[in-house]
Amino acid sequence: MTSLLQRLSAERNRRFVGRGRELEIFLDAIASRELPFHILHVFGPGGVGKTTLMQQFLRFCERSKISTIYVEGRNIEAAPESFVSTLRSLMGLNESDSPLHVLAQRQERNVILIDTYEAITQLDEWLREVFLPHLSVNTLIVIAGRNPPSSGWCSDPGWQALMHTLPLRNLTPEESQTYLTTRDIPTTQHQAILDFTHGHPLALSLVAEVFAQAKEISFQAESAPNVVKTLLSRFIKEVPTPLHRMALEACAVIRLTTEAALNQILTVPQNTLAGEAHSLGEILDIHDLFEWLRGLSFIESGQLGLFPHDLAREVLIADLRWRNSEFYTELHRRARQYYTKRLGQTQGQEKHRVLLDYIFLHRDNSAIRSCFTWGEQSSLLTDSLRETDKTALLGMVAQYEGEESAKIADHWLKRQPQNVVVFRDLHSKPAGFAMMVALHTATVEDLSADPGALASWQYLQTHAPLRPSEGATIFRFWMARDTYQAVSPTQSLIFINFVQYFQKTPGLAYTFLPCAQADSWTAMLNYFDLTQLSETDFTVGGRHYGVYGHDWRIVSPAAWKEILARKEVTTAGESVDNTSVGEPLLVLSQPEFVEAVQNALRNFSCPDVLQNNPLVRSRSVEEQVATKASMSETPKDTQLSEKPDSGHLRDACGGQSQRVNVLQNLVKQAVESLQSSPGDQKLYRAVYRTYLNPAPTQEQTAELLDLPFSTYRRHLKAGIRRVTDILWQREIQ
């Protein structure tokens, strides 16, 4: 008759998947004539499957008739006497017998499994120096815990030679799907579960149990708070203070955590200390807080900062969004401010990293998550075009887009080499590139040689004509050497460069982005406020390309950032607002702009009339309003209780009255600027006395200025022209 123990073992074995490499290492070791190592140290975060693997080791030993002792660290006191007493009991020895003496005398292969080692770390030195060295040479000791070997093991040359470390990671996507299949989870739900669990064994098990009990139609982390709570307890036993919890949550929200980032993002409110607002560093040594994060088993230390394991990040964010969505939003706001400040302080490769940190804040949205690689760093370097690169770049184009496209790329390499960015690997070879063709500087012959550039240029002429000093760019060729336009580190860096390009390029009015597989990018590019323009689609060499575009005069970079800020905390199940903040901007031709300025001067003191002036929806006014909104975004009191100041929910672009006020100030500044030039002072007086501080009639204004009426009119006309020129240059530049 089959026993319950046998059924339990069979069921556990049936659900065991993966770990092929780890099992192979163990099996090879116990089967070898001479042990290749005596310590096998398995480590990984809570719930990653250490105990399950140890039990599998135990089953293999039992099948091979190898004597095995299984010590569960959490069940014993962290004292030598308790450890020895536990061994004596597990080995069935008498009270007077010495477990160490018995183990030392064994001639046959035997294994000691010590699980949950972090519970008895106080025994680490005693085991290393006193107990383990006296065991038989035929003994394999397997240690499993959350933390890697301590420095005592690593600094000892003897133990270095006799120890094998085995970091335990999550299951692969294939292994995870196999597990879900064994648990009878519908295949339609696999991807959503994998996106959340990242192959973490405990998470997979808990989610499978949710399906088994509730038969949910779809899985979302927010809909299973008990799963999140259980996982959270596995990762974090306890958090010392609310400040530590804030730091942990900040670490989950941002891509990489540094001491500087923590110091900027975390603050303590006025009412906490009955005084002025303080940085966290003034209350708690920021270094100590950073070191606490660094010591957590699910936090990894990279070259540029700390970051949580993928599932730990998912769990922390899911818990925070469910428990206190307001503070989740507040952390995003603080991080966004920090990165905005950093963008103004950095250049080159560092700016690329900060931009990736900035975009990472959008990672929780499914439209963005799958379209970037979010690794800690990339080995790629951004560089300008070298003459020796051309063969490699044209080879990429020919490989992925055909010889006809390669000829077009060759044309632009000769015509606009300065607009090519090359991404180099560790050997300085091109791993990818991007070519930004300036349409406004291209000749008719240039455009006629390229159907893609020509289609975009014709669209501009019909739908969005450029004004003087404005430019338009088509990101004509962009690809990675090994993966073309698929998601990859190179593709991610290309997109980061596109963002940097339109932020730093003066006078940029329109950008076009052609894609070989246009439909696959729709969700992400729409999220970033790029619209698919079917009229600009083109075909080269039998290959079709869809094109996305954005008019930066209608939605300026400042307004664009505000749009993204609103979307930042949305998720897959929430709607994404693609509308502009406030009304869209107006792109006025120069004659229309002149007429609007004249109207603004005539009605300078009539706010009700100015509300209908086209200039209140101009780029100049929009940028001023956005700047004022950004400056007022920081609340005077930052809430330690994890409740953000409601001020950050204000309308980013302000009301119509604010726009009128901004327009009046811009007009006034333009008029007053005439005073700086001796030759323009007479023009200033005519405009000022006519519109800003007017007399009842123009005749009386001429008398006040002690000028003949014809002279006054000439000065006024010239002054209006100068004011209009000043405002126009500001608008288009």
Side-chain angles (χ1 to χ4, degrees):
M1 178 180 291
T2 302
S3 69
L4 179 58
L5 179 61
Q6 289 173 316
R7 289 199 62 183
L8 279 171
S9 179
E11 188 61 26
R12 288 167 179 164
N13 196 53
R14 185 180 74 85
R15 293 185 178 182
F16 184 88
V17 298
R19 307 308 187 198
R21 171 176 169 270
E22 291 83 357
L23 292 174
E24 182 181 0
I25 290 172
F26 179 78
L27 291 173
D28 286 348
I30 61 174
S32 61
R33 181 180 298 274
E34 181 179 332
L35 284 170
F37 46 81
H38 290 274
I39 302 289
L40 179 61
H41 195 121
V42 181
F43 63 94
V48 79
K50 299 182 295 294
T51 296
T52 302
L53 181 63
M54 293 285 272
Q55 290 173 347
Q56 197 73 355
F57 289 165
L58 177 61
R59 279 192 285 274
F60 281 127
C61 289
E62 290 173 344
R63 290 176 190 171
S64 302
K65 309 300 183 184
I66 295 176
S67 176
T68 309
I69 302 171
Y70 194 106
V71 180
E72 173 51 71
R74 77 184 101 198
N75 295 335
I76 64 175
E77 183 182 349
E81 301 80 16
S82 178
F83 186 86
V84 171
S85 176
T86 299
L87 283 181
R88 183 180 292 114
S89 175
L90 292 172
M91 296 168 66
L93 301 178
N94 296 322
E95 191 67 29
S96 59
D97 293 333
S98 167
L100 181 57
H101 177 74
V102 174
L103 291 170
Q105 299 302 314
R106 285 188 174 174
Q107 300 299 313
E108 72 280 3
R109 179 62 40 82
N110 66 105
V111 176
I112 300 176
L113 303 168
I114 306 176
D115 200 3
T116 321
Y117 192 69
E118 67 273 8
I120 55 172
T121 51
Q122 290 171 290
L123 291 178
D124 188 68
E125 183 178 355
W126 175 78
L127 286 168
R128 187 178 66 249
E129 302 293 340
V130 177
F131 187 83
L132 297 181
H134 296 287
L135 295 178
S136 163
V137 73
N138 289 312
T139 303
L140 174 64
I141 304 99
V142 184
I143 295 173
R146 295 191 173 196
N147 305 309
S150 64
S151 59
W153 297 94
C154 302
S155 60
D156 187 316
W159 282 121
Q160 280 182 15
L162 301 180
M163 182 173 64
H164 184 86
T165 57
L166 196 60
L168 204 58
R169 302 302 184 189
N170 292 352
L171 299 176
T172 67
E174 295 75 22
E175 292 168 345
S176 301
Q177 288 182 325
T178 299
Y179 176 81
L180 294 175
T181 300
T182 65
R183 296 297 304 270
D184 299 321
I185 306 300
T187 56
T188 55
Q189 299 302 314
H190 285 190
Q191 192 57 50
I193 296 173
L194 294 180
D195 287 344
F196 172 71
T197 63
H198 296 276
H200 187 275
L202 177 61
L204 287 167
S205 175
L206 291 172
V207 172
E209 194 59 32
V210 168
F211 273 92
Q213 294 180 7
K215 303 296 182 184
E216 290 193 11
I217 296 174
S218 61
F219 174 78
Q220 289 183 336
E222 290 81 0
S223 66
N226 290 335
V227 171
V228 172
K229 182 180 179 182
T230 301
L231 292 170
L232 200 61
S233 67
R234 285 298 186 103
F235 285 125
I236 314 166
K237 293 299 183 184
E238 61 180 35
V239 179
T241 70
L243 298 179
H244 286 79
R245 178 168 291 279
M246 289 175 68
L248 188 57
E249 290 165 345
C251 185
V253 166
I254 62 179
R255 188 173 75 100
L256 293 169
T257 299
T258 63
E259 289 188 17
L262 279 181
N263 203 36
Q264 291 292 319
I265 294 173
L266 302 182
T267 54
V268 177
Q270 294 176 354
N271 57 11
T272 301
L273 298 177
E276 296 183 356
H278 294 259
S279 73
L280 185 58
E282 294 178 61
I283 313 291
L284 180 70
D285 190 320
I286 201 72
H287 176 73
D288 290 345
L289 192 69
F290 184 83
E291 288 300 314
W292 174 77
L293 287 172
R294 193 178 189 177
L296 297 175
S297 64
F298 56 89
I299 300 291
E300 295 191 19
S301 298
Q303 184 179 358
L304 301 175
L306 305 178
F307 54 96
H309 291 174
D310 289 336
L311 177 64
R313 191 190 294 276
E314 303 288 355
V315 168
L316 287 165
I317 288 177
D319 176 68
L320 180 59
R321 288 178 68 103
W322 174 79
R323 180 173 49 81
N324 194 338
S325 60
E326 289 185 348
F327 187 61
Y328 171 77
T329 302
E330 172 67 5
L331 280 176
H332 271 259
R333 186 193 64 78
R334 298 183 194 183
R336 187 169 62 251
Q337 283 189 321
Y338 172 63
Y339 294 135
T340 299
K341 179 181 177 182
R342 291 281 294 137
L343 285 173
Q345 299 171 335
T346 55
Q347 297 294 330
Q349 301 294 129
E350 180 63 20
K351 184 179 285 288
H352 292 159
R353 284 193 287 268
V354 177
L355 274 170
L356 186 57
D357 292 338
Y358 192 102
I359 293 176
F360 185 85
L361 296 176
H362 297 266
R363 173 182 171 274
D364 290 345
N365 191 284
S366 60
I368 302 302
R369 179 194 292 264
S370 61
C371 295
F372 283 86
T373 56
W374 305 106
E376 180 217 350
Q377 62 176 341
S378 170
S379 59
L380 299 172
L381 295 177
T382 305
D383 195 11
S384 56
L385 178 70
R386 303 174 188 172
E387 187 65 30
T388 54
D389 296 330
K390 292 184 178 180
T391 301
L393 303 193
L394 294 177
M396 292 183 211
V397 178
Q399 177 185 354
Y400 293 112
E401 300 188 2
E403 292 296 339
E404 191 172 340
S405 285
K407 292 178 181 178
I408 295 172
D410 186 40
H411 174 82
W412 289 119
L413 284 176
K414 294 173 182 175
R415 299 293 292 166
Q416 297 189 13
Q418 72 281 7
N419 293 333
V420 178
V421 176
V422 178
F423 307 98
R424 304 190 186 281
D425 59 23
L426 291 173
H427 305 290
S428 296
K429 301 295 184 182
F433 77 101
M435 181 185 295
M436 288 76 73
V437 171
L439 294 172
H440 54 288
T441 64
T443 65
V444 175
E445 290 76 15
D446 290 333
L447 296 172
S448 63
D450 182 0
L454 181 60
S456 293
W457 181 252
Q458 290 174 340
Y459 178 87
L460 286 175
Q461 307 314 302
T462 305
H463 300 282
L466 299 180
R467 301 174 298 188
S469 301
E470 290 182 343
T473 294
I474 179 171
F475 302 123
R476 183 59 183 88
F477 294 97
W478 58 277
M479 63 192 67
R481 177 184 61 204
D482 302 322
T483 53
Y484 187 38
Q485 293 181 353
V487 175
S488 68
T490 304
Q491 164 269 332
S492 298
L493 191 53
I494 288 172
F495 281 9
I496 292 296
N497 271 267
F498 287 167
V499 174
Q500 185 177 358
Y501 179 87
F502 64 68
Q503 285 188 330
K504 73 176 184 179
T505 304
L508 185 62
Y510 219 106
T511 52
F512 298 91
L513 177 62
C515 302
Q517 301 292 332
D519 292 343
S520 66
W521 296 105
T522 299
M524 189 204 79
L525 295 178
N526 284 350
Y527 180 97
F528 281 122
D529 204 44
L530 273 69
T531 304
Q532 191 161 8
L533 308 171
S534 58
E535 296 171 66
T536 60
D537 291 358
F538 61 95
T539 300
V540 175
R543 292 173 171 86
H544 182 76
Y545 302 88
V547 181
Y548 294 82
H550 184 93
D551 192 330
W552 298 103
R553 301 164 299 185
I554 293 178
V555 179
S556 68
W560 182 78
K561 287 173 64 178
E562 291 292 337
I563 292 172
L564 293 187
R566 292 188 316 183
K567 298 178 181 181
E568 201 173 280
V569 293
T570 59
T571 59
E574 299 171 327
S575 61
V576 176
D577 186 1
N578 282 314
T579 59
S580 171
V581 181
E583 293 185 272
L585 300 188
L586 288 179
V587 182
L588 301 174
S589 65
Q590 191 164 10
E592 292 170 334
F593 191 89
V594 170
E595 182 180 349
V597 172
Q598 292 173 350
N599 177 276
L601 286 168
R602 286 195 300 270
N603 299 287
F604 182 82
S605 301
C606 304
D608 291 343
V609 177
L610 288 180
Q611 286 186 1
N612 299 317
N613 190 293
L615 294 179
V616 298
R617 291 165 60 193
S618 67
R619 180 175 182 173
S620 300
V621 170
E622 158 68 21
E623 289 179 345
Q624 284 288 302
V625 171
T627 299
K628 290 178 181 294
S630 178
M631 292 176 64
S632 64
E633 190 178 50
T634 306
K636 294 181 180 179
D637 261 356
T638 305
Q639 300 297 315
L640 180 63
S641 60
E642 300 184 349
K643 292 183 179 179
D645 191 298
S646 60
H648 80 280
L649 301 176
R650 49 106 193 111
D651 178 2
C653 286
Q656 192 76 347
S657 60
Q658 183 185 10
R659 290 181 170 277
V660 169
N661 182 257
V662 169
L663 175 58
Q664 288 174 316
N665 286 334
L666 288 174
V667 171
K668 183 180 178 182
Q669 291 169 12
V671 172
E672 291 177 344
S673 69
L674 298 178
Q675 297 180 88
S676 61
S677 171
D680 286 344
Q681 288 182 3
K682 57 188 178 184
L683 310 184
Y684 162 75
R685 289 191 293 270
V687 176
Y688 178 79
R689 276 300 183 180
T690 304
Y691 299 121
L692 272 61
N693 187 17
T697 66
Q698 289 193 357
E699 287 78 6
Q700 289 175 294
T701 301
E703 291 180 12
L704 285 171
L705 296 174
D706 194 23
L707 292 173
F709 188 72
S710 60
T711 304
Y712 153 72
R713 289 287 297 173
R714 188 171 68 254
H715 290 178
L716 179 61
K717 184 177 180 179
I720 293 173
R721 187 165 57 249
R722 286 284 294 116
V723 169
T724 302
D725 288 343
I726 292 169
L727 292 172
W728 174 249
Q729 290 303 314
R730 178 167 189 153
E731 176 72 7
I732 65 175
Q733 294 181 4

